[in-house]
């Protein structure tokens, strides 16, 4: 078992203090598990009362009493039989016996006791409860036992703890910022996307405003791909199971995929023959019967496009790109707005090249990812190289080819001039990968762009090209997606900019504010002028005071507003106010403003942070 860091020990100890307090307040509670996490800790509890925010206050107060008692954390080792007896004696057998069964034979079994509380636990902990000086309970959420929605839903109590009150205050301030920037909240307020249970959990409906952002991003990357000699393709949303058996996606990863679709005639025939659901599943897994699958990956279809015609070494590299929608079965408890969904579109591309071209092609992919991040002001990122775990059986292919692919990624990563780490066990099943982990403006990390080198799928599909020696050779395949998932990327982008998008992405770029009804016709003429230049503009023709119109424009996070008063109208000018780029402000003719704005859009100018915050 990996040793805990001092901060993890502190947080794990706090989870035990939490459980101690809960049992004091609700003695009939059954406890499940309470580990430390990246940002704190939690404990899953089963109790009849549905907890709310006021209960957290009471639990927190009881935790402070436990801390003040300065209880010692003591480790108790025992045999498996003794552990069973102890768990039953403390009345915690509902979940703890199952957790005990998870401990492999031969591994040490231990409990930790602080005061009256005893818990099955491998540790480790701080010495005494008074070592916990700065903690806070944060929220309550539902969590299925062992993450399985077929099991009972428990109540998960989240909290955090730090070594000092100052560190805790900084973290809580960041949480407040995160709440204000939450893409689910801003998505509703700015009318960017909608998730409707009638459509399905984890299925994003892009509303007109959100669709503009997505289309602008797609147009931006599509132009870069065109200049880099990528070719656009389109593939269906569904494919035969045999395709995914060949690729290795089915049945090995079927738990993360939607169930196969069997032809109606086949289902009727099997039902008449008395075939059970279990037998049907087995026959699908074994390939005895075929079916269709909502595609979990675009790569097998791109492979078939490459393989649909012969290729010479002179044709390579072949670069196929698609904004392809794929489907993954995520547990309902893991769904989260746009950042964790069941249907999402990847800015996907696959490059088929010779071994000699791999290094250059990887470099081109990395340059594209860097361009995306730099354009959007996401310059604080790190690189993670996902390697295979030699002791795992989940990876396919020849070890020598894995070595080549991993070496190529290492060499490419060294050119990025940013820190990178290697993480064994994080490779895709068919090849190693480089992931870009972006830190947003409040310090949270998001895995976005990815580049993967693959010697294995070309082997599984028996791809070939004719080399200079007039013999058949196997191409190497590179998978890359600078945005990753469009849904996730846009969710992160909403939070990164707090909804204050740069002008080129903003759904509404300009709002014209006539000061009275008499000026509305002139405002409409300015609107026509800007619309003719493909600027997204509206007129606020509501009979309201100017101050109210300006406040609403700020709330709607429109980057630029044009105030049209009587004097401006007489002079044929407007007063420009800009949340995003104050350098554009002043009294100008509409044509002057339009020229400057079009340059701002063409340059993809970022908002100036201070003005963006002021207008938020």
């Amino acid at each position: 078992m990996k040793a805990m860091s001092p901060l993890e020990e502190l947080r794990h100890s706090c989870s035990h203090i939490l459980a101690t307090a809960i049992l004091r307040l609700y003695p009939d509670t059954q406890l499940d598990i309470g580990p430390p996490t990246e940002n704190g800790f939690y404990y899953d509890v089963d109790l009849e009362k549905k907890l709310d925010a006021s209960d957290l206050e009471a639990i927190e107060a009881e935790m402070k009493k436990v801390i003040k008692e300065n209880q010692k954390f003591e480790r108790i080792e025992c045999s498996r039989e003794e552990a069973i007896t102890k768990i039953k004696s403390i009345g915690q057998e509902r979940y703890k016996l199952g957790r005990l069964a998870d401990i492999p034979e031969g591994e040490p079994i231990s409990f930790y006791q602080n005061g009256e509380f005893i818990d099955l636990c491998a540790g480790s902990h701080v010495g005494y409860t008074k070592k916990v000086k700065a903690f806070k309970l944060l929220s309550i959420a539902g969590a299925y036992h062992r993450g399985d929605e077929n099991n009972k839903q428990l109540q998960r109590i989240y909290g955090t703890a730090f070594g000092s009150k100052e560190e805790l205050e900084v973290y809580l301030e960041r949480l407040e910022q995160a709440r204000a920037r939450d893409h689910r909240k801003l998505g509703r307020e700015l009318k960017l996307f909608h998730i409707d249970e009638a459509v399905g959990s984890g299925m994003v409906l892009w509303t007109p405003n959100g669709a503009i952002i997505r289309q602008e991003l797609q147009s931006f990357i599509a132009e870069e791909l065109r200049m880099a000699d990528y070719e656009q393709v389109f593939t269906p949303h569904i494919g035969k199971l045999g395709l995914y058996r060949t690729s290795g996606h089915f049945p090995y990863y079927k738990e993360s995929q939607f169930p196969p679709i069997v032809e109606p005639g086949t289902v009727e025939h099997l039902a008449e023959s008395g075939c059970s659901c279990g037998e049907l599943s087995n026959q699908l897994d074994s390939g005895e019967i075929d079916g269709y699958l909502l595609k979990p990956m675009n790569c097998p279809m791109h492979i078939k496009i490459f393989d649909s015609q012969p290729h010479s070494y002179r044709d390579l590299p072949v670069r196929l790109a698609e904004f392809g929608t794929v489907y993954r079965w995520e547990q309902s408890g893991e769904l989260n707005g746009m950042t964790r969904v069941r249907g999402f579109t990847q800015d996907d591309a696959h490059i088929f090249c010779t071994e000699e071209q791999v290094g250059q092609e990887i470099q081109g992919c990395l340059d594209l990812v860097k361009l995306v991040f730099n354009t959007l002001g996401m310059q604080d990122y790190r690189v993670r190289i996902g390697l295979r775990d030699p002791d795992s059986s989940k990876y396919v292919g020849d070890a020598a080819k894995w070595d080549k692919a991993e070496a190529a990624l290492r060499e490419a990563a060294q050119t990025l001039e940013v820190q990178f780490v290697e993480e064994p066990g994080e490779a895709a099943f068919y090849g190693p990968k480089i992931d870009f982990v972006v830190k947003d403006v409040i310090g949270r990390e998001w895995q976005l762009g990815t580049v993967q080198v693959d010697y294995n799928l070309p082997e599984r599909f028996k791809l070939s090209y004719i080399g200079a020696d007039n013999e058949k050779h196997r191409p190497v395949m590179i998978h890359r997606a600078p945005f990753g998932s469009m849904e996730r990327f846009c969710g992160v982008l909403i939070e990164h900019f707090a909804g204050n998008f740069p002008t080129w992405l903003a759904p509404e770029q300009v709002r014209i504010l006539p000061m009275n009804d008499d000026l509305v016709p002139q405002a409409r003429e300015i609107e026509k002028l800007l619309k003719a230049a493909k600027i997204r503009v509206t007129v606020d023709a509501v009979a309201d005071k100017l101050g109210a119109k300006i406040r609403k424009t700020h709330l709607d996070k429109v980057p630029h507003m044009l105030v049209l008063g009587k004097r401006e109208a007489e002079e044929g000018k407007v007063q420009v106010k800009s949340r995003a780029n104050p350098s554009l402000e002043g009294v100008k003719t509409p044509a002057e403003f339009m020229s400057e704005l079009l340059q701002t859009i063409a340059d993809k100018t970022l908002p100036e942070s201070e003005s963006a915050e002021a207008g938020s």
Side-chain angles (χ1 to χ4, degrees):
M1 176 184 288
K2 180 184 172 185
M4 286 189 186
S5 68
L7 183 57
E8 287 173 324
E9 279 190 345
L10 182 75
R11 289 170 171 172
H12 189 42
S13 303
C14 208
S15 75
H16 280 231
I17 293 169
L18 166 61
T20 307
I22 289 170
L23 286 177
R24 285 183 176 182
L25 296 171
Y26 312 103
D28 293 333
T29 300
Q30 287 287 308
L31 303 172
D32 184 18
I33 193 169
T37 65
E38 182 181 357
N39 295 309
F41 61 90
Y42 68 81
Y43 218 115
D44 287 346
V45 301
D46 184 357
L47 74 162
E48 190 171 335
K49 176 181 172 60
K50 186 169 177 59
L51 300 172
D52 58 28
S54 62
D55 296 311
L56 289 188
E57 292 179 15
I59 295 169
E60 207 171 86
E62 194 63 38
M63 289 174 70
K64 289 176 181 176
K65 293 179 185 178
V66 174
I67 291 169
K68 190 174 181 180
E69 291 167 15
N70 201 22
Q71 299 172 355
K72 184 178 181 180
F73 283 99
E74 296 183 277
R75 180 181 175 91
I76 304 166
E77 292 195 4
C78 60
S79 68
R80 190 171 295 271
E81 291 72 23
E82 290 170 331
I84 292 171
T85 301
K86 189 176 289 291
I87 288 169
K88 289 180 177 179
S89 71
I90 59 176
Q92 289 294 330
E93 57 266 33
R94 188 177 301 169
Y95 302 105
K96 295 296 181 181
L97 287 177
R99 297 296 178 182
L100 174 63
D102 293 340
I103 301 173
E105 289 293 337
E107 290 288 320
I109 295 172
S110 62
F111 289 77
Y112 272 83
Q113 179 165 3
N114 57 283
E116 76 275 19
F117 178 64
I118 302 173
D119 200 7
L120 177 70
C121 180
S124 53
H125 294 272
V126 297
Y128 292 84
T129 56
K130 266 194 177 179
K131 293 281 186 181
V132 177
K133 299 183 183 299
F135 79 95
K136 181 71 179 174
L137 295 185
L138 301 173
S139 61
I140 306 161
Y144 292 108
H145 175 51
R146 296 183 180 273
D148 186 342
E149 58 188 7
N150 295 313
N151 292 336
K152 184 172 184 180
Q153 189 174 64
L154 309 181
Q155 297 184 73
R156 177 169 292 179
I157 304 173
Y158 285 101
T160 192
F162 287 88
S164 68
K165 290 183 179 178
E166 292 76 16
E167 289 173 296
L168 176 62
E169 287 172 2
V170 168
Y171 178 74
L172 293 178
E173 171 60 27
R174 281 189 171 182
L175 279 185
E176 283 303 310
Q177 289 189 48
R179 290 189 187 101
R181 292 170 176 268
D182 190 325
H183 75 280
R184 295 166 298 183
K185 169 180 173 288
L186 290 172
R188 287 191 300 272
E189 293 172 355
L190 302 178
K191 301 178 178 65
L192 300 176
F193 71 95
H194 177 59
I195 295 176
D196 196 305
E197 286 302 314
V199 175
S201 300
M203 301 295 181
V204 176
L205 301 174
W206 293 81
T207 49
N209 283 352
I212 289 170
I213 296 171
R214 171 170 166 166
Q215 187 58 56
E216 288 293 337
L217 288 169
Q218 289 187 187
S219 297
F220 160 56
I221 200 70
E223 178 60 21
E224 295 298 329
L225 295 179
R226 186 188 64 78
M227 292 189 294
D229 292 327
Y230 282 80
E231 298 175 291
Q232 184 75 43
V233 298
F234 297 93
T235 61
H237 292 242
I238 187 171
K240 293 187 76 171
L241 276 179
L243 181 70
Y244 294 101
R245 288 194 189 97
T246 303
S247 70
H249 292 101
F250 186 86
Y252 306 109
Y253 293 89
K254 69 176 184 178
E255 296 304 319
S256 60
Q257 298 165 4
F258 277 79
I261 303 166
V262 182
E263 292 182 15
T266 302
V267 173
E268 291 171 11
H269 174 73
L270 291 170
E272 289 170 1
S273 64
C275 180
S276 68
C277 291
E279 290 169 336
L280 172 60
S281 178
N282 290 336
Q283 290 184 48
L284 285 167
D285 290 355
S286 66
E288 292 176 58
I289 59 174
D290 208 350
Y292 289 83
L293 192 66
L294 282 171
K295 66 176 177 181
M297 294 281 189
N298 297 304
C299 39
M301 294 190 180
H302 289 193
I303 286 170
K304 285 299 182 183
I305 291 175
F306 175 84
D307 200 33
S308 65
Q309 55 187 295
H311 293 279
S312 158
Y313 70 97
R314 293 187 181 90
D315 303 325
L316 303 186
V318 171
R319 306 181 184 100
L320 303 179
E322 176 182 19
F323 291 99
T325 302
V326 297
Y327 302 89
R328 312 272 175 83
W329 182 258
E330 300 284 357
Q331 296 291 337
S332 59
E334 296 175 341
L335 297 174
N336 180 30
M338 297 181 87
T339 59
R340 198 72 180 265
V341 294
R342 287 174 173 161
F344 55 93
T345 301
Q346 295 176 308
D347 62 321
D348 217 351
H350 296 92
I351 301 168
F352 302 86
C353 62
T354 68
E355 279 198 28
E356 293 75 23
Q357 294 169 332
V358 167
Q360 181 180 344
E361 291 303 312
I362 292 173
Q363 192 61 58
C365 294
L366 298 183
D367 289 344
L368 188 59
V369 175
K370 287 167 66 177
L371 173 67
V372 168
F373 290 167
N374 289 338
T375 300
L376 293 166
M378 296 175 154
Q379 296 178 339
D380 187 1
Y381 60 87
R382 63 184 177 87
V383 169
R384 180 175 64 205
I385 302 180
L387 307 174
R388 73 193 185 286
D389 178 356
D391 297 325
S392 173
S393 60
K394 86 170 188 177
Y395 305 102
V396 297
D398 179 66
K401 290 182 177 178
W402 271 90
D403 291 339
K404 285 182 184 179
E406 290 176 348
L409 286 183
R410 284 193 187 97
E411 186 176 339
Q414 289 167 357
T415 70
L416 289 171
E417 299 179 352
V418 296
Q419 70 178 77
F420 68 89
V421 295
E422 297 183 3
E423 296 190 8
E426 291 301 314
F429 76 91
Y430 48 75
K433 61 179 180 172
I434 287 180
D435 289 330
F436 287 78
V437 183
V438 178
K439 185 175 286 189
D440 68 16
V441 290
I442 58 174
R444 295 168 303 176
E445 288 194 327
W446 304 89
Q447 190 270 304
L448 296 175
T450 186
V451 179
Q452 304 168 4
V453 179
D454 181 3
Y455 281 80
N456 291 303
L457 287 184
E459 188 73 37
R460 294 174 76 94
F461 281 93
K462 296 180 171 51
L463 300 183
S464 67
Y465 67 91
I466 302 300
D469 58 1
N470 213 32
E471 297 292 331
K472 285 188 175 182
H473 296 267
R474 196 78 76 205
V476 181
M477 188 173 173
I478 297 172
H479 311 240
R480 48 102 289 193
F483 291 139
S485 151
M486 296 299 294
E487 283 74 8
R488 187 178 207 196
F489 193 90
C490 287
V492 172
L493 210 60
I494 292 167
E495 299 193 4
H496 179 72
F497 287 118
N500 296 302
F501 297 106
T503 304
W504 70 279
L505 279 179
E508 183 182 353
Q509 295 169 321
V510 179
R511 186 172 295 176
I512 304 170
L513 311 180
M515 293 184 69
N516 58 56
D517 290 349
D518 293 340
L519 298 171
V520 171
Q522 196 161 337
R524 293 292 184 196
E525 289 302 312
I526 298 170
E527 179 187 33
K528 285 180 186 177
L529 176 71
L530 299 184
K531 279 188 173 180
K534 295 184 170 56
I535 292 169
R536 297 186 287 275
V537 55
T538 63
V539 173
D540 186 344
V542 175
D544 207 343
K545 292 182 179 178
L546 179 62
K549 291 185 178 185
I550 290 174
R551 281 193 297 276
K552 186 173 189 312
T553 305
H554 279 312
L555 287 173
D556 292 341
K557 301 187 184 292
V558 181
H560 313 283
M561 64 183 90
L562 305 182
V563 177
L564 183 63
K566 183 178 180 182
R567 179 185 297 176
E568 287 87 2
E570 289 172 351
E571 296 176 354
K573 294 182 178 180
V574 290
Q575 184 179 355
V576 180
K577 294 180 178 291
S578 177
R579 169 189 57 75
N581 306 105
S583 59
L584 298 181
E585 293 188 341
V587 177
K588 305 176 182 183
T589 67
E592 288 171 338
F593 167 71
M594 182 176 71
S595 176
E596 294 174 357
L597 184 68
L598 288 173
Q599 191 61 54
T600 298
I601 293 169
D603 293 342
K604 295 182 171 54
T605 304
L606 289 166
E608 296 172 26
S609 57
E610 290 184 6
S611 62
E613 289 299 324
S616 62

